[in-house]
Amino acid sequence: MPAAVRGGSRGEAKPRAKASASPARRAAAKGGDARRTLKPTQVLSIAAGVLALALVVVLATGGRAGRLAGAVGHAVDMRLADAGFRLKTVHIQGASELASPDIMKAAAIYKDQPLLGVDLDELRRRVEAVGWVREAQVVRLMPDTLVIAVQERRQLAVWQHDGRTVVIDDHGLTIPEANPARFATLPLVVGAGGDKHAAEILPVLAQRPKLMARLEALVRVDDRRWDLRLKDGSLIQLPAVEQEQALMQLEQLDLRSRILELGFERIDLRNPDMVAVRPRPTVAAAAPAATPAEGA
């Protein structure tokens, strides 16, 4: 009889083996199901615990555990990514349509990368290195979003000097990514020092829209004072100081004689006690003929 048991058919032996192994297999399968059904919040809690443990190890063993902590961090990032914490959406706030592509390029982030693996400080530094950007903040919104909020530099003028034409901001800094050809409405500033001093004179001129509408360029002379070149070729020479008072003199002259409409070759406002006007040759020739008519 014993021999008969040992020599039983293979079909009878298999059920016994399966029955004896089934509790362990069921337990393993149950554990696998539990891992597969963990919620993202649970995974995040587990990951936080693992990171805390890694930090304790690093503090206890010094720099020798740095590589171990890095490996643990990477593993946690990937585990969280598997749980759904991957980058899907990037919101850029405060940037113009022209600046946004350069900001995204500098950010160097990509879709589906592990969200918790993004170094926010390093990302902010890359964004702030873009010429358009004065200041940036980066916020991570779980489970799949980054928000990049920037304060964009205000484009003040187009500056031309030494054969170069660039866009400058209100602090005189160049915005390398800005194409001057796309900023035709900005004032043109010419000459050495024009970039540093444009922010001083432009607000004064902006209060005089009639003059600004005729302005072709502001020319910095010897890095001391300004000449205003108008679209009709006229020249207005401003003093090195008290430019606003000089422009008030020009306004009074224009009220009396409509000088801006009639045109001139040059108006010299450098002497506060006297306004010197040089008419155009055609205006000068017409003046004697007009004098009798006025006296008649």
Side-chain angles (χ1 to χ4, degrees):
M1 291 295 293
V5 173
R6 288 193 299 271
S9 67
R10 293 182 179 178
E12 294 175 350
K14 283 182 178 178
R16 291 193 186 98
K18 183 177 182 180
S20 61
S22 59
R25 291 181 180 178
R26 283 197 298 270
K30 184 177 180 181
D33 292 340
R35 286 191 298 270
R36 285 194 296 272
T37 58
L38 282 175
K39 297 180 179 179
T41 53
Q42 294 173 317
V43 175
L44 186 59
S45 299
I46 295 171
V50 173
L51 288 174
L53 178 60
L55 178 61
V56 171
V57 172
V58 171
L59 292 176
T61 60
R64 291 175 296 173
R67 285 180 293 178
L68 173 62
V72 171
H74 177 72
V76 169
D77 289 343
M78 296 310 297
R79 182 61 176 151
L80 289 171
D82 292 340
F85 293 94
R86 289 184 179 273
L87 180 61
K88 300 294 184 185
T89 305
V90 178
H91 294 296
I92 299 179
Q93 300 177 349
S96 65
E97 184 178 350
L98 292 175
S100 294
D102 292 315
I103 292 171
M104 277 299 298
K105 182 179 179 180
I109 50 182
Y110 56 90
K111 186 177 180 181
D112 288 332
Q113 76 178 100
L115 186 60
L116 289 181
V118 178
D119 187 332
L120 299 187
D121 286 336
E122 177 59 28
L123 174 55
R124 176 183 55 78
R125 284 190 287 270
R126 290 198 299 268
V127 171
E128 288 182 341
V130 177
W132 298 103
V133 178
R134 187 184 306 280
E135 186 179 356
Q137 291 182 332
V138 182
V139 178
R140 180 166 31 214
L141 300 179
M142 305 301 286
D144 58 6
T145 302
L146 280 176
V147 177
I148 302 175
V150 305
Q151 180 184 355
E152 189 170 329
R153 297 185 186 277
R154 185 170 74 89
Q155 297 90 48
L156 179 69
V158 173
W159 178 45
Q160 192 176 87
H161 179 56
D162 281 347
R164 294 177 63 242
T165 303
V166 296
V167 177
I168 58 173
D169 70 0
D170 51 359
H171 289 272
L173 299 177
T174 300
I175 304 175
E177 298 86 354
N179 181 359
R182 305 189 70 172
F183 291 88
T185 59
L186 290 180
L188 176 62
V189 176
V190 180
D195 54 334
K196 302 302 181 185
H197 297 279
E200 302 167 2
I201 187 65
L202 281 173
V204 178
L205 293 173
Q207 298 173 14
R208 295 160 172 84
K210 184 177 180 180
L211 179 59
M212 281 294 291
R214 291 171 165 78
L215 184 66
E216 177 71 22
L218 293 89
V219 181
R220 187 71 176 170
V221 180
D222 297 329
D223 200 10
R224 292 183 58 255
R225 62 174 194 85
W226 294 99
D227 280 351
L228 308 183
R229 290 200 173 274
L230 305 190
K231 295 175 182 177
D232 63 359
S234 305
L235 180 68
I236 300 173
Q237 297 175 295
L238 296 181
V241 295
E242 299 183 346
Q243 294 94 346
E244 188 163 10
Q245 288 81 349
L247 290 171
M248 291 174 63
Q249 288 181 311
L250 177 63
E251 288 175 319
Q252 294 170 1
L253 177 63
D254 187 53
L255 285 174
R256 292 194 303 267
S257 62
R258 296 185 298 121
I259 188 68
L260 292 178
E261 296 177 19
L262 295 175
F264 53 90
E265 184 174 317
R266 185 179 67 185
I267 297 181
D268 190 345
L269 300 172
R270 291 175 293 178
N271 186 344
D273 300 323
M274 180 181 64
V275 176
V277 179
R278 178 182 294 176
R280 288 202 180 102
T282 53
V283 175
T291 303
E294 291 175 358

